[in-house]
Amino acid sequence: RGFMTDINKHASFIWSVADLLRGDYMQSEYSKIILPLTVLRRLDCAIDPVKDDMLANYGEVKDSGANVGPTLDRLTAIKGLWNTSKFDMAKLLKDRTQISENLRAYIAGFSPQVRDIIQQFDLDTQIDKLESNNLLHVVLSKFVEIDLHPDTVSNLEMGYLYEELIRRFSEISNEM
């Protein structure tokens, strides 16, 4: 019972971001922002405890010509989950004038496997649209408020959470 309550609580919080999109986006477009940023926030939270070590290790090996992947893979429990950008989602909020460029740099700092996943969402197009509507900072600010670290939201719960978000988007699409 508590399991589903937590999932619904997280889903409702994430869903509240859609309120920020009203007027600038059609309801059928909400998923184009909410789903990739949910994934990005999950990755951001998973890396957070080792981010400083990740940057230090990257600094040591980046100029050696060696493949940095294996070195950085040892820092997380998930192979291929690393980021060499100086940014995390919270740090992106510190510079409103460069937020879209910094978000792109943050995404570019992920491992090739993670970048491939993020590219499937066409987030780059949404970054431009959010920025042009002066929504990028406020939307990212909302996502930074939710803790999606694996110790807080298990992989199973994250799967259910993502499914719940997709279900809600499907309901909106069916209403149209």
Side-chain angles (χ1 to χ4, degrees):
R1 183 167 154 101
F3 177 79
M4 289 310 291
T5 302
D6 286 346
I7 291 167
N8 286 324
K9 183 180 77 176
H10 289 314
S12 293
F13 180 85
I14 292 169
W15 188 254
S16 72
V17 174
D19 292 335
L20 302 170
L21 304 174
R22 279 194 173 76
D24 294 299
Y25 284 83
M26 295 185 307
Q27 285 185 329
S28 61
E29 295 177 306
Y30 293 172
S31 64
K32 294 177 181 180
I33 290 98
I34 306 293
L35 295 177
L37 290 181
T38 299
V39 170
L40 199 60
R41 181 61 181 156
R42 172 64 168 204
L43 298 171
D44 188 63
C45 290
I47 289 174
D48 183 61
V50 296
K51 180 72 180 207
D52 291 339
D53 291 338
M54 205 169 274
L55 292 176
N57 278 288
Y58 177 66
E60 291 173 13
V61 296
K62 71 177 179 179
D63 295 328
S64 70
N67 180 357
V68 300
T71 300
L72 299 179
D73 276 344
R74 288 191 288 270
L75 297 173
T76 64
I78 304 165
K79 184 175 174 22
L81 177 56
W82 43 266
N83 186 293
T84 58
S85 164
K86 65 180 179 178
F87 298 105
D88 57 31
M89 287 182 79
K91 287 180 184 168
L92 291 170
L93 301 176
K94 293 180 180 179
D95 185 356
R96 286 178 181 257
T97 62
Q98 297 293 311
I99 194 164
S100 60
E101 293 86 355
N102 293 344
L103 177 55
R104 286 185 174 94
Y106 175 57
I107 292 167
F110 277 104
S111 65
Q113 300 94 315
V114 172
R115 282 195 315 269
D116 286 347
I117 293 166
I118 293 170
Q119 286 172 348
Q120 297 301 313
F121 288 107
D122 192 26
L123 185 56
D124 205 48
T125 301
Q126 299 312 316
I127 291 169
D128 289 338
K129 188 169 181 180
L130 286 165
E131 182 72 6
S132 68
N133 289 307
N134 294 317
L135 290 170
L136 187 55
H137 189 273
V138 70
V139 167
L140 286 179
S141 296
K142 194 79 167 162
F143 272 95
V144 167
E145 292 178 32
I146 190 165
D147 182 3
L148 295 178
H149 187 278
D151 289 345
T152 305
V153 180
S154 72
N155 288 338
L156 180 63
E157 289 170 314
M158 194 67 205
Y160 280 120
L161 170 58
Y162 203 76
E163 282 183 19
E164 175 61 15
L165 292 171
I166 291 170
R167 184 191 66 73
R168 291 181 185 199
F169 291 125
S170 294
E171 282 180 1
I172 284 178
S173 295
N174 290 337
E175 290 173 5
M176 303 184 106

